[in-house]
Amino acid sequence: MNPIKVNQDKSICEHDQLKAAYALNLCTVSVSQIVDYKDLNVLEQEYELILNNLNLHNMPKDQALLHILRQILDTVTFFRIYEGDKMMLEKKYQQKIKNAIWNAIPSFALIAVGEPYTFAISMIASVGMGYMNYRKEKANILTEREEQEWTLQRSAIEQFNALRRELFDTAWRLSDSYKFDDKYRLTESQISQYNSILMDSIPLRKYERLDSIKDNFEAYPPFWYYFANAAMDVVNVYKNETAFDDNISAINKYTQLAEQNYQKYLDKDIDLLRNNYIRSACDLEYAALLLDSLPRIEDNEKKLRLCKINYLIDDAIKHCGSKLDILQIASVYYLRLNKTEEATKHLRKLIIENYNTKTNSQLLSLIYLQEAVFDNKKFIPNTLKYKELIQFTDRMNLIPWVDSEKELTKEHLRNINELFLNNQKDQLFSYLEAIVNTIFHKEIISYNKELYNRHNMDESDAFF
């Protein structure tokens, strides 16, 4: 028997086991979110995740997994209807209470007869009977409401039980089919503990608490991103302390731990999601860490790191979907690497999508002008691009363009930039002055009102 083939088969089997365990854990997290939060927005997010963001090509093709995904969708749909029914029940209750109040009011046409004394006795008796009838009717309405609420609540309990039962059945069947170790399977209590730790506001404690449960999350890649992120939070705390030099060893320690766990996330991640914002965030945070390390490493290692950084930025864009904040950060990183072609492509998209338009327009117009200065052949195509840019934003936001190729000199570029920056400063000062004047005007009005009120006060009120 060929040992290489045996090892390959074993490797494929292990990969399939981890994929199945990860898919199961995604479902468990989804169920845990639904049960813990009972919030319609969370439910909608889970619904969106399953219908529009699962990578069906990479998902394990197993009926048990399909059943739990269907059950999650059914549960979300149930609670959409459930919330609507609760609203309608409350409206009906309020309307019945109003009707009960009106029914309890005596009819003056029926009691306004006879002597005044008789009228008064009749009036008191009618009001008393009306009040008793209202109390009785309100109690009946409240009982009816409680019965209807319990019917809804009972349906919700049954729905949660069915969801958990289906999840347990899925875990049983997947474990039997793929033979993965049960330590890979997350429980709802483990997920609740994990979510609680992520809310910890003290970075070092948060990191150490995550470190204490890491063995439970071998088949849940997002854990390792948050583990790395917690390490970087610790680094930032040490960097912000006044005795910076005394913290170098701690900074290096947690920076290395962050790098290891960013890489571990990327190694473990399986493309079960079409758009993976956690992966994009991991890519960019990892890229930032490597960019900051470039001045401190040798040239031969620097080339390898630059290749890694380029891969991470490309990968972040690949997985970001419609998240424009990811594109914004990636564009800035491309510029730091002097990859203007990639940067301009994404900056243009951001401007078209009206995202941070003013700053991105200034940046893109400056890039177009700089390219034309250093390469005269780009003057005509970049002039066209600049004119197109005017259609997407206010021309006052853009770096002024040149009238002819003769003006394409570094000196002219420097003068244009200085003039533009001065104009921007003037605009900013005018804007701030307008804000200050508006605030001052409001305060003067308020102050005058206060003086007027004090002037018209009685002596007895003056103390207050």
Side-chain angles (χ1 to χ4, degrees), residues 365-381:
S365 60
L366 177 61
I367 292 170
Y368 287 157
L369 187 58
Q370 284 181 332
E371 286 181 340
V373 167
F374 291 101
D375 183 359
N376 288 351
K377 293 179 181 178
K378 290 188 174 182
F379 174 69
I380 294 176

Side-chain angles (χ1 to χ4, degrees), residues 101-132:
I101 293 171
W102 283 110
N103 291 335
I105 297 174
S107 173
F108 289 97
L110 295 176
I111 60 178
V113 292
E115 296 295 326
Y117 180 77
T118 305
F119 170 77
I121 296 295
S122 176
M123 183 68 177
I124 292 169
S126 297
V127 170
M129 288 298 295
Y131 176 71
M132 294 301 294

Side-chain angles (χ1 to χ4, degrees), residues 33-148:
Q33 300 274 53
I34 291 171
V35 173
D36 287 348
Y37 292 101
K38 300 181 182 68
D39 181 84
L40 201 57
N41 291 326
V42 173
L43 294 173
E44 293 292 349
Q45 288 173 9
E46 299 305 319
Y47 195 86
E48 180 71 17
L49 172 69
I50 294 171
L51 277 187
N52 295 323
N53 203 29
L54 283 184
N55 188 332
L56 299 182
H57 176 74
N58 289 340
M59 286 292 289
K61 304 302 187 289
D62 194 287
Q63 285 298 314
L65 198 57
L66 179 60
H67 287 161
I68 185 60
L69 291 172
R70 284 176 175 170
Q71 186 69 44
I72 292 172
L73 292 177
D74 289 344
T75 301
V76 174
T77 301
F78 168 84
F79 276 99
R80 282 173 171 171
I81 299 170
Y82 172 83
E83 289 297 323
D85 288 344
K86 277 178 62 178
M87 290 175 61
M88 290 304 299
L89 179 60
E90 181 63 23
K91 285 182 179 179
K92 287 180 180 178
Y93 170 75
Q94 295 297 337
Q95 187 59 49
K96 286 181 178 179
I97 290 295
K98 288 179 182 177
N99 293 339
I101 293 171
W102 283 110
N103 291 335
I105 297 174
S107 173
F108 289 97
L110 295 176
I111 60 178
V113 292
E115 296 295 326
Y117 180 77
T118 305
F119 170 77
I121 296 295
S122 176
M123 183 68 177
I124 292 169
S126 297
V127 170
M129 288 298 295
Y131 176 71
M132 294 301 294
N133 288 337
Y134 166 70
R135 289 287 301 270
K136 184 178 179 180
E137 184 66 19
K138 183 179 178 182
N140 291 336
I141 292 169
L142 191 58
T143 301
E144 182 185 349
R145 181 195 186 189
E146 288 173 350
E147 288 175 352
Q148 292 174 336

Side-chain angles (χ1 to χ4, degrees), residues 144-175:
E144 182 185 349
R145 181 195 186 189
E146 288 173 350
E147 288 175 352
Q148 292 174 336
E149 284 181 340
W150 167 242
T151 300
L152 286 176
Q153 190 176 352
R154 180 176 177 174
S155 299
I157 293 170
E158 290 172 346
Q159 193 72 29
F160 281 139
N161 181 63
L163 183 60
R164 283 178 158 141
R165 186 177 63 242
E166 191 67 48
L167 180 64
F168 180 77
D169 185 69
T170 301
W172 185 284
R173 292 175 182 275
L174 287 178
S175 177

Side-chain angles (χ1 to χ4, degrees), residues 221-434:
F223 172 87
W224 301 96
Y225 160 69
Y226 287 109
F227 197 24
N229 180 267
M232 285 307 299
D233 285 343
V234 176
V235 170
N236 292 329
V237 167
Y238 281 123
K239 282 185 175 180
N240 291 331
E241 288 184 353
T242 52
F244 181 84
D245 292 337
D246 297 337
N247 297 329
I248 293 297
S249 60
I251 290 171
N252 291 338
K253 172 188 172 181
Y254 285 99
T255 300
Q256 290 174 5
L257 289 169
E259 185 174 348
Q260 290 170 13
N261 289 315
Y262 282 135
Q263 188 58 52
K264 190 164 186 176
Y265 167 78
L266 295 175
D267 293 340
K268 283 181 169 292
D269 189 41
I270 301 169
D271 281 342
L272 297 185
L273 304 176
R274 297 175 68 178
N275 301 319
N276 191 339
Y277 311 130
I278 291 178
R279 182 171 182 123
S280 293
C282 177
D283 285 327
L284 293 181
E285 289 179 27
Y286 193 5
L289 187 154
L290 297 179
L291 277 167
D292 289 341
S293 70
L294 288 179
R296 300 187 297 274
I297 60 176
E298 300 294 331
D299 288 343
N300 56 345
E301 187 182 352
K302 190 176 292 186
K303 291 180 181 179
L304 294 174
R305 290 222 160 185
L306 284 171
C307 290
K308 180 76 171 180
I309 292 167
N310 281 309
Y311 164 78
L312 290 170
I313 301 171
D314 293 342
D315 193 60
I317 292 171
K318 175 184 173 183
H319 289 92
C320 77
S322 59
K323 291 287 185 181
L324 298 179
D325 53 339
I326 299 292
L327 283 186
Q328 181 73 82
I329 298 169
S331 300
V332 173
Y333 286 176
Y334 276 136
L335 289 175
R336 286 185 64 178
L337 297 172
N338 203 29
K339 299 185 72 172
T340 55
E341 184 177 350
E342 288 85 351
T344 54
K345 179 176 69 175
H346 298 301
L347 286 171
R348 190 177 177 92
K349 180 178 179 179
L350 291 167
I351 294 166
I352 292 171
E353 296 295 334
N354 201 29
Y355 184 86
N356 202 9
T357 308
K358 183 174 181 179
T359 301
N360 288 324
S361 298
Q362 292 171 356
L363 195 54
L364 188 55
S365 60
L366 177 61
I367 292 170
Y368 287 157
L369 187 58
Q370 284 181 332
E371 286 181 340
V373 167
F374 291 101
D375 183 359
N376 288 351
K377 293 179 181 178
K378 290 188 174 182
F379 174 69
I380 294 176
N382 280 18
T383 300
L384 177 60
K385 291 177 183 176
Y386 184 90
K387 289 180 179 178
E388 291 173 345
L389 201 56
I390 295 172
Q391 299 181 45
F392 304 136
T393 186
D394 186 346
R395 186 166 191 165
M396 295 297 293
N397 293 336
L398 305 179
I399 298 288
W401 199 250
V402 293
D403 296 324
S404 66
E405 291 186 50
K406 296 179 181 179
E407 298 178 23
L408 293 175
T409 63
K410 294 180 182 178
E411 183 65 26
H412 186 72
L413 179 62
R414 190 180 301 111
N415 292 336
I416 285 178
N417 285 341
E418 288 179 0
L419 179 63
F420 176 78
L421 290 174
N422 287 331
N423 289 337
Q424 290 295 309
K425 287 178 183 177
D426 291 340
Q427 288 182 27
L428 181 61
F429 285 137
S430 299
Y431 177 67
L432 290 175
E433 186 179 9

